[in-house]
Amino acid sequence: LEDKADSVWVFVTTSNKNKLGSNGLLTNTVALENEKVRYEWKSRYPIAYYLISIALAEYMEYGFLSPSPEGKEVWMLNYMYPDSAMYKAQKALIDCTHVQMNLLQEKYGTYPFIEEKYGHCITPIGGGMEHQTMTTQRDFQFHLTIHELGHSWFGNQVTCEKWNDIWINEGFATYSQYLGLENLVDQQSADAFNAAMQSVVMREPDGSVYVPDDYIEDRDRIFSGRLSYYKGAVIIQMIRYLLANDELFFHVLQEFQSRFAYQTATGEDFKEVLEEVSQQDFDG
């Protein structure tokens, strides 16, 4: 995980009926013989190997510019199935990605891949996958979209150094759902979500957000919804509560992002930043 590629090019030749979505920017589309076309995607940002993606179908395209809090626009690109039923049914949710982007930039810092884009490719999967700059999702439901968008910072810009610390990726992405409810819906909805996460965490007696070495080959333990996702998010909410200062709390998150930008980090790295910035002891 600690060895990120410094860039990625994805060139794919396919039928000219298809569109191809991938990382970075579409730098060229080359018409070829026999009704073929070559799509040439390039990204100049460091990328973890598991975040490289190819999604190919007879897509329709819907894109728009999202102004950021600092005045820099983010290109938001969406590839959907061509019957347009999803576009008609979920356009408001697609457009809400702009609002979610502004919220997370306010909380976490500037979108890490702002010189390229943020996009979605719809595919028939169970949920979503935070492929860098081009998330793969089943649809545009609010929780799913803001969770995967949150990975742009926690998981993509700063990636867990070892699978033991996958909560750095998934806990913060899940906490992005809480922030979305708190800031874009209402506090009652956010509190209900937090209570539901606590209930799931506490329905069994044990388990750490840190994945023990004995389970490092166990995919279900690594991606445990109860521990890596929900308990990770609940611990983050507990840290916010203990700091009792939102300006300080979000400064911690932004400093962590800044210090480990486009690199990898451990849970101990986060704890060190937390203690240094807050001047508090979090050993317990």
Side-chain angles (χ1 to χ4, degrees):
L1 286 173
E2 65 272 15
D3 186 19
K4 291 189 176 184
D6 65 359
S7 58
V8 59
W9 293 10
V10 176
F11 290 13
V12 174
T13 298
T14 182
S15 163
N16 59 17
K17 295 179 180 179
N18 295 325
K19 281 185 179 291
L20 174 85
S22 190
N23 313 97
L25 295 172
L26 181 59
T27 60
N28 202 9
T29 304
V30 182
L32 302 172
E33 296 178 351
N34 301 318
E35 298 183 331
K36 300 286 187 180
V37 62
R38 182 173 70 245
Y39 292 98
E40 300 181 357
W41 288 86
K42 296 181 180 180
S43 176
R44 299 292 185 180
Y45 288 100
I47 184 169
Y49 68 88
Y50 70 88
L51 296 172
I52 298 171
S53 73
I54 295 169
L56 187 150
E58 293 185 20
Y59 285 127
M60 62 170 285
E61 177 182 325
Y62 171 53
F64 54 90
L65 285 169
S66 171
S68 78
E70 299 177 358
K72 179 77 173 181
E73 293 179 317
V74 183
W75 175 240
M76 311 199 87
L77 179 65
N78 303 281
Y79 284 179
M80 293 162 282
Y81 302 131
D83 63 10
S84 76
M86 178 175 288
Y87 172 74
K88 293 176 181 177
Q90 298 195 354
K91 184 178 183 299
L93 288 169
I94 301 170
D95 293 342
C96 184
T97 311
H98 154 65
V99 182
Q100 296 171 341
M101 172 68 79
N102 279 353
L103 170 65
L104 295 188
Q105 288 199 90
E106 175 190 330
K107 302 303 184 184
Y108 298 157
T110 302
Y111 173 60
F113 312 101
I114 198 165
E115 298 297 332
E116 294 181 351
K117 71 170 186 314
Y118 185 70
H120 301 98
C121 284
I122 295 302
T123 62
I125 60 176
M129 177 60 206
E130 64 274 14
H131 298 118
Q132 193 162 294
T133 76
M134 195 58 138
T135 289
T136 308
Q137 293 185 190
R138 67 168 183 251
D139 56 32
F140 292 95
Q141 292 303 315
F142 181 89
H143 275 272
L144 177 60
T145 299
I146 198 167
H147 178 103
E148 304 303 342
L149 177 58
H151 273 305
S152 296
W153 289 265
F154 293 93
N156 296 9
Q157 174 166 243
V158 182
T159 307
C160 61
E161 186 173 303
K162 300 177 181 179
W163 293 114
N164 309 80
D165 286 306
I166 187 63
W167 78 274
I168 288 289
N169 295 23
E170 298 300 348
F172 279 100
T174 305
Y175 194 68
S176 300
Q177 298 171 234
Y178 176 87
L179 293 176
L181 294 172
E182 179 185 39
N183 291 275
L184 304 178
V185 183
D186 54 52
Q187 190 62 51
Q188 182 178 359
S189 299
D191 290 343
F193 178 62
N194 190 51
M197 289 194 295
Q198 290 176 334
S199 177
V200 171
V201 172
M202 295 188 293
R203 71 187 178 195
E204 296 178 34
D206 295 312
S208 169
V209 293
Y210 183 84
V211 179
D213 286 337
D214 288 349
Y215 294 93
I216 207 61
E217 299 295 330
D218 184 342
R219 187 181 64 178
D220 290 339
R221 175 60 182 87
I222 293 172
F223 293 100
S224 165
R226 184 174 79 90
L227 300 175
S228 298
Y229 291 68
Y230 287 169
K231 190 169 185 177
V234 168
I235 285 178
I236 294 161
Q237 176 72 343
M238 289 174 67
I239 291 169
R240 183 179 176 186
Y241 172 79
L242 290 168
L243 291 176
N245 181 329
D246 272 2
E247 183 177 355
L248 177 60
F249 172 72
F250 289 109
H251 178 48
V252 169
L253 304 193
Q254 291 174 20
E255 176 62 24
F256 178 67
Q257 286 293 311
S258 175
R259 194 170 298 186
F260 294 96
Y262 311 109
Q263 302 175 62
T264 58
T266 67
E268 286 298 315
D269 290 328
F270 176 75
K271 177 174 174 287
E272 288 179 13
V273 172
L274 171 63
E275 292 183 330
E276 178 186 323
V277 174
S278 69
Q279 296 296 295
Q280 297 184 35
D281 180 359
F282 277 86
D283 272 356

